[in-house]
Amino acid sequence: MPQNSQEILLMLPHVVIGVGIVISLLIEMYSKKSETILPWISLFVFVFAGVHSIINISANQILFGGMLEVGGKPAIFNFIFNIGAALLILNSIDYIKKYESNHGEYYILIQSAILGMMVMAGSKDIFMIFIGLELMSIAFYVLAGINKKKSSSNEAALKYFLLGAFATGFIVYGIALIYGVSSTTSVDSIIQNFSTFTQNILFIVGLLLFIIGFSFKIAAFPFHMWVPDVYQGSATTVTGLMSTTGKTAAFSVLLIILSASLINYNIDIFAPYFAVIATLSMLYGSIVAIAQKNLKRMLAYSSISHAGYMAIGLAAANSEAFSGIIFYLAAYTFMNIGAFGIISIIEKQNDANTDLTAYAGLASKSPILAAFMSLFMFALAGIPPLAGFFGKYYVFISAIEADLTWLAVVGVFSSVISVYFYLRLVVYMYFKESEKDIDLHIDKYSLLSVVVSGILVIYFGISPDSLLNLILSVVN
Amino acid sequence: MLFFVLLGFITAVLVPLIKKISDNFLSWIIPIIPASIFFYFASFYYQIADGEVIKVSYSWIPSLGINFDFYIDGLSLVFAMIISLVGTVVYLYAGSYLKGDTRLSKFYIYISIFMSSMIGVVTSDNLMTLFIFWELTSISSYLLIGFNHEKESSRYSALQALLVTGLGGLALLAGFILLYITTGTWDISEINKMPAEVIGSSYFFLIVIFILLGTFTKSAQFPFHFWLPNAMEAPTPVSAYLHSATMVKAGIYLMARLNPAFGNSILWNDLLLVFGTATMLFAAVLSFKQTDLKKLLAYSTLSVLGTLTMLIGIGSDLAIKAFIIYLIAHSLYKGTLFLVAGIIDHETGTRNIEKLSGLRKLMPITMIIAVAASLSKMGIIPLVGFVGKETVYASVLELPIFGNYLIVITILANMFVVYITAMVGFRPFFGKLKSTPKNPHEAPFRMWSGPMFLALSGLVLGIFSSLFLNKLINSSELGIISERLNIPVKLWHGFNLELLLSTITVLLGLFLYFKREYFLKFVASFSSVKFVQPSYYYQFIFDGTLSLAKYITSKIQNGYLRFYILVILLTTFSLIAYTLHTFYSFNEINIGGSVSVYEVILAFILIISTLLAVSAKSRLAAIVGLGGVGYVIALFFLIYSAPDLAMTQFSIETLTVILFVLVIYKLPKYLSFSSTTRRIRDIIVASFAGLTMFFLVLVISGTSLTSELKEYFIAESYPSGKGLNVVNVILVDFRALDTLGEITVLAVAAIGVYSLLKLRKKDN
């Protein structure tokens, strides 16, 4: 028993969020002021969990008989999830009030989703992965439809749920086959005996289904179908969470496949799969984004192409790719959260208008927002020396080292296309005049969230070493 | 060092603060910045001219080997001094050119960022930092070209320049990374020491192609030259600075800088020679029908950029000497001529050469500047342009085999340059005065002083070339070729072939100028064929991508859930089928075992229920069909001795059917079915998915899946669970929690049914 209580202390971030969920539920049930209390509780648990994880990054341990890993790699992921979520909570305070969906469940569901992600990132057992995944996904299905009065929000939730059910089905089937062959659910022992198991066709099919299921969650072509509709229909803050932390969580699982190939050098049966997925996602995302008139939809396609860039790393399957993907995810999370934060601010003032035209002349109305939005767009486009550039740089270099130069070339080509649509927003903000005269009110919490994201994007760009060294220290 | 390289960025931050005092104060004080950078670099002159090399390093991302390494040799110094000197002139000039414009401070912000990035490009010794500065020049030039953003054409040109140079920039990154993988270092000075490794590398071809894509797009070499004339939408100080003196030479700089590593390869030399020559000639010919002052200058710049590339391609000592002199000469006179064009535009309100004439009396100072710069450009003694052209000719003549052909092309191209110069430098000032949109006056001091200074420098450098240029070119480490040159620079070489050719060029150019009406008709018929213009292909690709994007959106992302599911199923099952096909031989399938009568009957019911569910004309019938499928599966569980699963399946199936009925009851009848073709498509996809699953199950049944659990349960059932019926023990002991879960799920589903029933009561 003392052993166990120690273990519980080690997973304090999980516990704090779990307790947070229960307390939030109680407050929501019995307090009339829950709207004002809950954001702060969520903020506290996220900041605590994020900071606690990153401080204890070196305390790498595997708990509960090989179920959950804390410290090390999961700590970095926990940092991304929690700080990302904290920033979005700051954005939500005003946003949720405005859309009258100011229910406690919003904050409770976000906490549950984040807990699910943390379980996914730390899991050492395939069933833990599944539990984490479902905790996250089900919370997201509900969150997508949180804006009950908007039909597009309902549509988004239903589509997300139905397509997500397919993904879940594939994953469960895959897990069944994997277990059938390996007769273990421990991730570590599966990785260790990877080369033996891959002799069996059923293991390969099982793994394939498992990977396909997660390809949904990272929004890779052709499993991206839900992304544009769901991103556009959901509340902007929810979209921000789904597109960043949700994707990061799915990648944290896919990295397991990567580490399997790292330990068994010659096993790269899935490299062709990832290479094709990467190519298609990058090109599809970038090309189709050009035609979008709605900013949220444009960012949805951009998110597809970013999934493609990261999938390059999965195809390359070397240690550079491993740290590269983690860096990319961190960079991507903060630049996207910043961008969605600004969208949520503008949307509130402008009758829920998220079209590009709503941004015309923003530079003269709010130079700060326009400057930060340009910063995020430049970072997403991968312009140095911002965080997005180094993300792309690491995965491209991993591809070249893995003799997949052509994949890096496709990536470069798609980056050029993407410059066009990211820049189009900048053109709207700086070079066009607004059609409507609206009074822009920026609430202080949203602004704080945008500024913090912006600082992180610049900081990771100017000093990528700070983050990279941290990643390298846990990867090796 | 770092401070002076980054000074422009610091300035960009400070500009809004200084602006608060007054715009006028800002425009007077700010030229101090480029001037101080100029003096800083000028202070290295004697050190460098004595053959020293300055290296400074600041660590940035040590784990990747990316650092701020600065390296100053003859080549960097020449570039840095040109950038800061022309910068000073342009800063001063813009203060007057944009006087009263509210965007003046914005201009200074953009151009300061640009200047610093440019200095960074030419002083970086690290490929990555060079690349980062390189991209920053693209971004800041985008902002500068699009400065007059209310004009559609301005935005279009800015975007075009950015897309073309951006594509090149990323190609350059790819080339740099390959170069890094080959040599294991980011240091340019280190890479230049190992030409054998670079040329012998298996990536060599790719490296050359990627790097040249970057430099050719940046320096507007054929076939990427089209963005430069369009970029003339920028305000004139920007054109003078970016599009003649600095940014377009970044590509040239990089080729010169990397020449020690690549110069010994035939591929590198030939590509530079061929594309350089093509640009030189093509641009010169295209310039002929232009009537816009700035576009004329843009084409002549293109021609010069081509010449410079060609000279690196030739790569002989003499060619490198010509390269440096020509580079300096061009920056001085072309910057001047652009600024003069700006003055004329500013004063008369037009840049159309047809409308300008006889300004000599109204603008005498401007005329003197223009004539001085033009003479230098034409290559008239004693200006520095003369020295430049002489050396170019000499280096071309020196070529063994095709030197004779190349000299003809060079003379031809230079003939057009002389023509352009006459059009820009002389035509507006002589002849009869024509009326213009504005009434012209002499330009204010700030506008003419800078160009005057540059024009004078051209004269001084020409007459005293042996004094100033000699030492730098003779004894400094130029870094373009590995040895020092040791060729003296002087103004007068005596009466020789080069002088004769120079004279012929000028005469031909003037002949062309006076007989232009006749030649214009000829050229017009030649270049109206759009297929020969690369900009046509740019537009084609640009428009094509846009319509492709719209087409894909409407076809694939059409919002229909059924289509999404179709794609997902098709992809997933194709992948499974492919995997089975590649890794499995179907001989291994083992269809052994006996089949009982029950199983046959059940299978029969299953098929009928499925067909019913698919073909039913009402929702209710379809649900009944689905329910049938579910029950049969439950029965299968029962037959294969899994009573717990069967029980759960039965109850879940019952509840779902009730739920479905309650919900669907309220929906309207089917209104229409999808078309026959769609249904056939769906049948094919569904059958494919079904067949794949069928085979997968066959494979599974043929494989013995080891499970340690079975033995464990059988062995432990009595000792641990005190029960002889293993299934019972599993249900209530080993998997008690599982069973609890199942019961809970059932309860939740039942609550759902109950609440739906309650809703119905209310409705009634």
Side-chain angles (χ1 to χ4, degrees):
Chain A
M1 209 50 205
Q3 167 91 36
N4 268 358
S5 59
Q6 251 175 7
E7 287 188 332
I8 284 176
L9 263 182
L10 282 168
M11 54 178 287
L12 199 58
H14 301 75
V15 173
V16 166
I17 293 184
V19 171
I21 294 171
V22 176
I23 294 179
S24 303
L25 266 173
L26 291 173
I27 292 177
E28 169 64 13
M29 270 154 61
Y30 296 110
S31 163
K32 281 186 181 138
K33 278 200 247 163
S34 64
E35 292 92 345
T36 45
I37 304 170
L38 289 184
W40 299 108
I41 291 184
S42 328
L43 198 62
F44 169 77
V45 296
F46 289 144
V47 171
F48 177 85
V51 173
H52 185 278
S53 301
I54 208 76
I55 289 175
N56 294 307
I57 188 165
S58 53
N60 190 0
Q61 261 178 312
I62 292 168
L63 311 179
F64 304 113
M67 284 288 168
L68 193 73
E69 185 186 357
V70 291
K73 180 167 68 76
I76 292 190
F77 281 116
N78 289 352
F79 176 76
I80 301 175
F81 300 146
N82 283 294
I83 300 304
L87 290 172
L88 275 163
I89 292 287
L90 280 177
N91 261 317
S92 310
I93 298 174
D94 201 48
Y95 183 87
I96 292 299
K97 239 182 242 163
K98 169 89 181 179
Y99 283 99
E100 290 171 22
S101 38
N102 193 12
H103 305 290
E105 60 252 40
Y106 175 81
Y107 297 102
I108 299 165
L109 285 166
I110 285 186
Q111 290 176 42
S112 315
I114 297 293
L115 184 61
M117 294 174 200
M118 288 165 70
V119 171
M120 275 165 89
S123 52
K124 283 276 153 192
D125 188 286
I126 17 184
F127 282 116
M128 287 296 284
I129 296 177
F130 185 68
I131 290 170
L133 173 73
E134 284 308 284
L135 187 53
M136 174 188 89
S137 301
I138 291 170
F140 272 158
Y141 300 147
V142 186
L143 278 171
I146 197 89
N147 202 342
K148 280 179 283 195
K149 288 170 195 157
K150 222 170 97 184
S151 62
S152 68
S153 180
N154 290 330
E155 184 195 333
L158 195 65
K159 273 185 179 165
Y160 190 21
F161 172 66
L162 287 174
L163 293 174
F166 269 90
T168 305
F170 291 151
I171 291 172
V172 175
Y173 207 103
I175 288 179
L177 288 178
I178 292 171
Y179 173 72
V181 174
S182 63
S183 56
T184 172
T185 55
S186 154
V187 169
D188 279 339
S189 51
I190 291 174
I191 289 179
Q192 290 300 332
N193 304 309
F194 201 69
S195 41
T196 330
F197 294 147
T198 43
Q199 309 285 324
N200 194 321
I201 173 77
L202 291 177
F203 184 76
I204 298 177
V205 173
L207 217 50
L208 177 71
L209 283 166
F210 187 78
I211 293 173
I212 287 177
F214 280 96
S215 302
F216 267 90
K217 302 290 173 189
I218 64 167
F221 185 91
F223 308 105
H224 67 285
M225 291 301 203
W226 56 277
V227 175
D229 296 346
V230 174
Y231 278 22
Q232 191 185 0
S234 308
T236 304
T237 47
V238 175
T239 311
L241 199 69
M242 278 193 294
S243 69
T244 57
T245 52
K247 196 191 284 275
T248 308
F251 262 104
S252 75
V253 174
L254 284 178
L255 283 179
I256 293 173
I257 312 286
L258 207 161
S259 51
S261 341
L262 277 183
I263 291 175
N264 309 268
Y265 289 104
N266 47 353
I267 309 292
D268 53 352
I269 31 172
F270 292 104
Y273 171 81
F274 286 124
V276 171
I277 290 277
T279 311
L280 294 174
S281 307
M282 287 187 293
L283 290 178
Y284 180 83
S286 298
I287 291 175
V288 178
I290 294 175
Q292 304 310 315
K293 293 189 179 71
N294 182 294
L295 184 55
K296 275 165 90 177
R297 229 175 152 78
M298 189 196 95
L299 283 177
Y301 287 104
S302 123
S303 139
I304 295 169
S305 73
H306 279 282
Y309 296 126
M310 293 184 239
I312 290 181
L314 294 177
N318 46 26
S319 54
E320 286 85 1
F322 203 91
S323 41
I325 291 175
I326 301 180
F327 185 93
Y328 201 129
L329 286 165
Y332 174 78
T333 298
F334 294 112
M335 54 207 189
N336 238 17
I337 282 183
F340 278 109
I342 294 175
I343 296 177
S344 75
I345 297 175
I346 304 292
E347 189 185 346
K348 281 182 297 197
Q349 317 294 329
N350 204 2
D351 314 323
N353 190 349
T354 52
D355 284 352
L356 281 172
T357 46
Y359 291 80
L362 185 68
S364 54
K365 271 179 280 178
S366 167
I368 300 181
L369 283 191
F372 272 104
M373 195 59 158
S374 314
L375 177 80
F376 297 130
M377 289 299 122
F378 283 141
L380 282 166
I383 284 163
L386 297 166
F389 167 71
F390 284 102
K392 269 185 194 163
Y393 167 76
Y394 294 138
V395 290
F396 287 172
I397 211 162
S398 73
I400 293 173
E401 297 226 325
D403 269 334
L404 290 168
T405 314
W406 66 272
L407 205 52
V409 172
V410 175
V412 165
F413 186 66
S414 140
S415 302
V416 176
I417 302 175
S418 72
V419 170
Y420 173 76
F421 60 82
Y422 290 125
L423 214 67
R424 210 156 56 128
L425 180 65
V426 180
V427 169
Y428 268 96
M429 292 188 301
Y430 281 89
F431 294 172
K432 290 199 174 165
E433 301 305 319
S434 74
E435 290 150 15
K436 270 196 298 183
D437 220 25
I438 40 163
D439 191 25
L440 199 62
H441 163 78
I442 307 168
D443 73 295
K444 53 181 188 279
Y445 302 125
S446 301
L447 189 63
L448 177 67
S449 150
V450 168
V451 171
V452 171
S453 319
I455 289 172
L456 284 172
V457 169
I458 296 174
Y459 179 69
F460 289 154
I462 291 180
S463 172
D465 244 14
S466 53
L467 182 61
L468 193 67
N469 282 339
L470 210 59
I471 294 169
L472 287 176
S473 75
V474 298
V475 169
N476 298 330
Chain B
M1 179 74 81
L2 191 62
F3 174 75
F4 278 97
V5 172
L6 302 182
L7 186 57
F9 297 125
I10 303 167
T11 313
V13 178
L14 294 180
V15 163
L17 300 176
I18 308 173
K19 181 195 182 308
K20 288 207 173 132
I21 304 171
S22 104
D23 263 8
N24 205 23
F25 176 70
L26 172 73
S27 63
W28 277 106
I29 197 95
I30 204 165
I32 292 175
I33 304 286
S36 63
I37 299 177
F38 175 74
F39 286 117
Y40 175 74
F41 282 107
S43 72
F44 293 122
Y45 182 82
Y46 285 103
Q47 251 175 301
I48 302 291
D50 284 339
E52 272 182 56
V53 164
I54 295 163
K55 276 183 102 164
V56 188
S57 190
Y58 305 88
S59 82
W60 181 25
I61 318 171
S63 61
L64 293 170
I66 298 172
N67 296 308
F68 285 113
D69 300 327
F70 297 109
Y71 181 88
I72 313 271
D73 60 2
L75 183 66
S76 317
L77 188 72
V78 167
F79 269 95
M81 283 171 69
I82 290 175
I83 292 162
S84 48
L85 180 67
V86 180
T88 314
V89 171
V90 166
Y91 271 58
L92 198 66
Y93 181 93
S96 185
Y97 186 85
L98 290 171
K99 198 172 182 181
D101 195 318
T102 47
R103 299 164 307 168
L104 182 69
S105 61
K106 229 184 230 177
F107 174 83
Y108 280 125
I109 292 176
Y110 297 160
I111 206 151
S112 299
I113 294 175
F114 171 78
M115 182 179 63
S116 251
S117 317
M118 202 58 219
I119 298 262
V121 168
V122 298
T123 51
S124 290
D125 193 30
N126 189 298
L127 286 175
M128 270 322 274
T129 37
L130 188 147
F131 168 75
I132 288 169
F133 284 124
W134 180 284
E135 288 297 82
L136 285 173
T137 63
S138 293
I139 298 292
S140 47
S141 88
Y142 169 75
L143 295 169
L144 285 167
I145 297 173
F147 194 70
N148 293 320
H149 51 69
E150 57 281 1
K151 267 166 71 188
E152 175 66 37
S153 61
S154 192
R155 292 202 300 263
Y156 173 83
S157 311
L159 186 65
Q160 188 183 48
L162 182 70
L163 286 180
V164 174
T165 55
L167 174 72
L170 287 166
L172 192 68
L173 175 65
F176 283 175
I177 293 176
L178 288 176
L179 198 55
Y180 168 71
I181 288 173
T182 306
T183 58
T185 174
W186 291 112
D187 282 1
I188 299 172
S189 46
E190 292 296 314
I191 291 169
N192 279 342
K193 281 179 198 150
M194 37 179 128
E197 282 87 340
V198 173
I199 294 173
S201 148
S202 51
Y203 291 125
F204 181 67
F205 179 73
L206 281 179
I207 297 177
V208 169
I209 297 297
F210 282 140
I211 289 184
L212 289 187
L213 263 177
T215 58
F216 281 7
T217 48
K218 194 81 166 179
S219 286
Q221 298 292 304
F222 178 83
F224 306 109
H225 62 275
F226 53 88
W227 69 263
L228 186 59
N230 288 340
M232 291 300 124
E233 291 290 340
T236 307
V238 173
S239 308
Y241 195 34
L242 272 66
H243 303 129
S244 78
T246 57
M247 189 180 87
V248 287
K249 296 219 177 84
I252 305 284
Y253 165 80
L254 188 63
M255 289 188 277
R257 171 56 79 217
L258 292 174
N259 198 49
F262 292 86
N264 289 330
S265 94
I266 298 168
L267 178 71
W268 172 266
N269 286 332
D270 284 1
L271 283 176
L272 292 190
L273 200 60
V274 168
F275 281 94
T277 314
T279 313
M280 177 175 77
L281 186 67
F282 204 68
V285 175
L286 280 178
S287 72
F288 196 62
K289 57 171 190 164
Q290 303 299 328
T291 52
D292 182 296
L293 272 182
K294 283 177 75 182
K295 287 216 167 160
L296 274 167
L297 288 173
Y299 280 106
S300 86
T301 306
L302 282 177
S303 182
V304 172
L305 293 170
T307 314
L308 289 171
T309 308
M310 178 188 84
L311 287 172
I312 305 173
I314 295 173
S316 64
D317 289 5
L318 205 55
I320 299 307
K321 179 186 154 194
F323 171 82
I324 293 285
I325 303 174
Y326 204 45
L327 179 85
I328 298 172
H330 175 258
S331 303
L332 294 178
Y333 66 66
K334 189 55 62 63
T336 313
L337 284 176
F338 263 114
L339 294 174
V340 166
I343 294 178
I344 294 174
D345 185 16
H346 196 256
E347 293 300 321
T348 63
T350 180
R351 293 197 313 241
N352 191 334
I353 201 83
E354 306 290 343
K355 292 182 186 161
L356 293 165
S357 176
L359 294 169
R360 66 182 179 281
K361 280 184 187 154
L362 296 169
M363 307 166 78
I365 303 176
T366 314
M367 182 201 74
I368 293 170
I369 300 168
V371 169
S374 308
L375 291 178
S376 180
K377 189 177 175 188
M378 286 177 171
I380 309 276
I381 196 162
L383 290 122
V384 71
F386 169 75
V387 189
K389 195 166 288 176
E390 292 272 284
T391 339
V392 173
Y393 284 172
S395 64
V396 173
L397 282 172
E398 206 188 44
L399 281 177
I401 309 163
F402 50 98
N404 289 334
Y405 303 102
L406 201 57
I407 194 77
V408 175
I409 299 176
T410 318
I411 290 175
L412 211 60
N414 272 299
M415 177 183 86
F416 280 100
V417 171
V418 171
Y419 161 79
I420 296 170
T421 320
M423 291 288 274
V424 178
F426 294 113
R427 210 192 127 108
F429 297 100
F430 299 100
K432 260 200 276 176
L433 186 65
K434 283 185 189 170
S435 70
T436 46
K438 277 202 233 165
N439 281 333
H441 298 284
E442 185 54 81
F445 168 75
R446 274 195 288 180
M447 283 179 87
W448 64 254
S449 55
M452 174 74 100
F453 177 71
L454 291 181
L456 276 180
S457 323
L459 187 64
V460 172
L461 281 184
I463 296 172
F464 302 105
S465 55
S466 48
L467 196 70
F468 287 108
L469 294 175
N470 197 20
K471 202 167 181 207
L472 185 72
I473 290 169
N474 241 341
S475 51
S476 74
E477 290 281 354
L478 274 179
I480 307 175
I481 42 176
S482 41
E483 312 89 39
R484 291 186 190 174
L485 281 175
N486 285 324
I487 309 170
V489 182
K490 52 186 179 186
L491 181 64
W492 182 247
H493 287 264
F495 291 100
N496 54 11
L497 186 56
E498 291 91 59
L499 184 68
L500 180 67
L501 293 176
S502 275
T503 321
I504 291 174
T505 314
V506 174
L507 290 177
L508 278 175
L510 291 178
F511 175 70
L512 195 64
Y513 173 69
F514 288 113
K515 293 277 173 196
R516 63 181 172 281
E517 300 298 333
Y518 172 75
F519 288 107
L520 265 173
K521 282 178 202 148
F522 173 72
V523 173
S525 62
F526 162 72
S527 56
S528 60
V529 187
K530 62 180 177 181
F531 295 105
V532 298
Q533 292 174 3
S535 56
Y536 169 77
Y537 294 99
Y538 167 82
Q539 198 57 41
F540 179 77
I541 293 170
F542 190 85
D543 293 344
T545 316
L546 268 183
S547 27
L548 177 70
K550 282 186 185 137
Y551 177 79
I552 295 179
T553 315
S554 64
K555 280 292 159 192
I556 297 186
Q557 217 68 46
N558 51 18
Y560 289 119
L561 193 62
R562 54 176 182 271
F563 180 73
Y564 293 178
I565 290 174
L566 185 92
V567 171
I568 286 162
L569 283 181
L570 206 57
T571 322
T572 309
F573 286 101
S574 303
L575 283 168
I576 295 175
Y578 174 78
T579 316
L580 287 176
H581 175 75
T582 350
F583 293 98
Y584 194 75
S585 83
F586 283 92
N587 307 331
E588 291 173 41
I589 291 181
N590 170 21
I591 320 178
S594 57
V595 180
S596 71
V597 185
Y598 304 115
E599 284 167 313
V600 175
I601 295 171
L602 283 178
F604 197 60
I605 300 173
L606 190 67
I607 291 168
I608 289 177
S609 316
T610 314
L611 287 177
L612 174 69
V614 174
S615 62
K617 294 257 186 267
S618 83
R619 291 196 172 86
L620 216 54
I623 291 165
V624 171
L626 275 180
V629 173
Y631 280 120
V632 173
I633 288 173
L635 286 171
F636 272 120
F637 285 150
L638 205 60
I639 291 177
Y640 286 99
S641 54
D644 56 330
L645 268 185
M647 272 315 292
T648 322
Q649 179 79 12
F650 273 131
S651 5
I652 292 288
E653 215 40 70
T654 315
L655 280 171
T656 356
V657 169
I658 296 173
L659 269 173
F660 264 137
V661 170
L662 286 174
V663 173
I664 281 170
Y665 192 70
K666 297 193 170 185
L667 294 180
K669 278 190 174 172
Y670 281 145
L671 286 176
S672 67
F673 285 105
S674 40
S675 68
T676 322
T677 38
R678 283 229 177 110
R679 284 172 77 85
I680 288 173
R681 179 195 68 186
D682 292 351
I683 287 173
I684 292 171
V685 174
S687 322
F688 171 65
L691 275 174
T692 314
M693 271 323 270
F694 176 69
F695 276 111
L696 183 62
V697 171
L698 277 186
V699 175
I700 294 172
S701 66
T703 320
S704 65
L705 296 175
T706 51
S707 170
E708 293 153 17
L709 286 177
K710 210 196 286 174
E711 282 78 44
Y712 173 82
F713 284 139
I714 291 169
E716 292 291 314
S717 160
Y718 188 71
S720 306
K722 304 280 179 262
L724 287 172
N725 186 328
V726 182
V727 174
N728 280 351
V729 175
I730 290 175
L731 282 183
V732 298
D733 274 312
F734 292 123
R735 286 186 186 157
L737 215 57
D738 231 25
T739 314
L740 181 70
E742 278 162 14
I743 295 169
T744 318
V745 169
L746 264 180
V748 170
I751 292 172
V753 171
Y754 175 71
S755 52
L756 274 172
L757 284 171
K758 242 173 57 172
L759 272 179
R760 286 201 60 195
K761 265 184 205 159
K762 262 190 202 162
D763 284 356
N764 293 340

